[in-house]
Amino acid sequence: KQWYQRRVAITARIDFDIAPEHQLSVRRVFYHWQFTVFCYLFNFIVCLGMICALGTKAGSAFGLSLLYAGLFVPLSFLTWYRMLYNAVRLDSSMRYMLFFFMYGLQIFVSGIAALGFNSGGFAGWITAFKTMEDNKALGVLGIIVSLAWCANCLIAVYLIMQIHKTYRSTGQSMEKASGEFAASAGSNRNVAQAVLRSL
């Protein structure tokens, strides 16, 4: 119930904080974040099934899938969904740049997850077909996870292209992002002193 209330609060703030012309983009990225959570949790469940059915052979995949679900779910919320939310809300080129970098990493991770290298913590294509030899049901679930990661990757590519168009149309630029970074670093005395010491 608490999660549902937070979800409602987060999506309701989009209507309040975000300009109407950007609300659809921010909502789409929020829904993509929810789909990413589903992918990590489904991946974890399949890896749990692999360790139950195959024993220690799947131990590292299970451990890594647990680590990925526990670490990347909150990090993805903070580093790309929330980053875009604040970039649009504050009209910040620097935050847009950080979003593009972090979302690019998400695309890369989704691609690696779809491949599913052996003992890599993702039940992607390679792991699914190898598991199929020992347990057909788990192999089929692995293929479904692989398809979910492929869809995740394609959705992210589509969204980053759409958001980049919006970014360019609002007059944002790399120069503006550099200026914002310099201003924020200059306003923080610790950062400014560290930069001066390094010179």
Side-chain angles (χ1 to χ4, degrees), residues 46 50 54 57 113-119 122-147 150:
V46 172
M50 285 167 54
L54 308 176
K57 211 162 51 163
L115 288 174
F117 294 108
N118 256 0
S119 303
F122 291 112
W125 293 109
I126 296 168
T127 304
F129 285 119
K130 286 201 174 188
T131 305
M132 191 83 80
E133 297 166 5
D134 297 322
N135 189 314
K136 289 200 185 324
L138 276 175
V140 169
L141 286 175
I143 289 171
I144 295 169
V145 170
S146 306
L147 290 170
C150 287

Side-chain angles (χ1 to χ4, degrees), residues 86-103:
N86 287 327
V88 173
R89 184 171 63 91
L90 302 171
D91 193 31
S92 168
S93 283
M94 182 181 72
R95 289 176 197 263
Y96 267 113
M97 287 297 167
L98 289 170
F99 163 77
F100 289 131
F101 176 74
M102 297 310 293
Y103 210 52

